[in-house]
Amino acid sequence: MVNNNIFQDPPAAANSVDGFCSTVERPIRLLIVDDHPALRFGLTALFEHTPGFIVVGEAGDGEEAVEKAQALKPDVILMDLALPKKNGLDAMKDIHLVNPEIRVIIFTAYSEGGQGLLAIKAGAIGYLAKDTSSKDLVNAVRDAHQGKPIVANQTEWREVILYAFGKLVYESEDLNKPLALVAELCPEKTNDSEFAWWQVSLAGDILHEIGLKRVSDSPFGCDLLIRVQTRLVHLIEKQRLTPRERNNAGKILSKLGDPRFNAALRYLPADENLGFTLIPAGKFLMGSNEQSDEKPQEETLLDYWMGLYPVTVAQFRAFTEATNYPFERWQYNDIDMLPVVSVTWHEAVEYTKWVNDEIRQFAEEQLASGVKNPLWQGLVENKLQITLPTKAEWEKAARCMEGYIFPLGNDLDSDIANSSDPKIEDTDSTESVLPRNSLDDLLDVSGNIWEWTRSVFGSMDDCDGNVDCEDLIKSNNLVCTLRGSSFNDRSVVARWVFRDSSDPVDWFTNYGFRLVISSILPL
């Protein structure tokens, strides 16, 4: 159980009264500063009628606030930002020159996070909007008196909160208070409210601000890190918060370490099939009546295994580091669990060749240890290969047998596909817009990034084992088929039947790829 008083300083010595010790807790001495008499009156009435507080004075401008702070020595000052004669920030600086121990809460009509950041940088312990409820205001003053930076209920204050705790860690090297706050934001048992999930996301941000090494050096920090990582996965998979907020949560999870991926195995997914799902053999209806190159046609495919996720930055970096492959576009790939982008078709092919050898070695070890898995058996016996999917394999995996045009239906839900509609305006971190937006449990097959396939654009020949696609494309200057659409495309392009094309040497910040394990000839 979290100690709710963990933010308090060690208990002060009992008050001495005529030589005897008193155990009576001294009330919090409060100075109220605002240029509106009616508001001062209301605040004074609130705190005078709340046990544990005494209002020692009021001030109507910044100069008077400085004078009364020096004369009355309050514990906490509740101060407006826009004051006559001297603004709240300047008044606070003057007060702290003489009495740095006084806690100042900026209490103002300005609700923008930028104003709050200025207040925190100037020395305020907290920043509250004037529409804060009476209960929250009273609790905030109590927290301020204990030295606890105030955590507001508005998401726009995130930057303010992170700055405050970053300052606390780097100036005082005090980990107890930030870690205790993380425990409060992400308790062992929590509810399913929107604010509770926002708190989980904020807890992850605070752990990142503290630094993973500092967090990991503490047993309490290690436990909290695992809890926050697990809760962030739940936030993403249960589709809590908005797409933009889930995208941010996914990026936080990437920075903290995503437990769904195995760093020891080239950052491949940490499940028994390394992130591949079986697509059973059989017929399916491919295409639509929308465009001339989307006409319905019946396709028959053998069993194959499709990658649940697009290939990530961390996975592609493992390849370049292991092989010294010359890839220079890391400026577009700075977060590990985002899909790798700005890759050409040829670069994607080189990755498939490398990871084919890596996973085959893993498969041999698994079989030698007694694991029975037809996927590993097929790879070891060279009956299966890891490569890029054909356009048909890609579409069947996305649409399954239902033949839907968009994820899970014939109308696009912008909450489950990262096209231009949710206005994320960036690639989505793996599994953060919707964990499963195809019937075969694939991730981000609609929107997010365009994905290279092994198919020649406009050709019905998908290199089904009789053609060496790489030589064919190189020798004939053919263009390759892309599937899936991306974060900056209109929703109509997010249709699973839509196909685009590009030269195999092209790279753009919305081009990536995923893998397939199938029985076709490797590229």
Side-chain angles (χ1 to χ4, degrees), residues 316-327 354:
F316 197 78
R317 183 184 291 112
F319 154 63
T320 61
E321 291 176 350
T323 62
N324 292 319
Y325 189 83
F327 183 78
W354 172 79

Side-chain angles (χ1 to χ4, degrees), residues 219-278:
F220 182 41
C222 285
D223 290 343
L224 284 176
L225 178 61
I226 294 171
R227 184 192 305 173
V228 172
Q229 288 171 327
T230 302
R231 204 66 56 77
L232 284 170
V233 170
H234 290 170
L235 183 161
I236 293 165
E237 293 185 344
K238 293 179 179 179
Q239 279 183 270
R240 299 306 187 250
L241 305 180
T242 66
R244 185 181 288 271
E245 288 169 324
R246 292 200 301 272
N247 184 47
N248 183 62
K251 291 177 180 178
I252 296 168
L253 180 61
S254 176
K255 293 172 183 177
L256 296 179
D258 192 331
R260 297 167 300 173
F261 295 86
N262 187 350
L265 193 59
R266 308 299 194 183
Y267 294 94
L268 293 167
D271 62 43
E272 63 179 358
N273 285 337
L274 302 184
F276 290 93
T277 187
L278 174 65

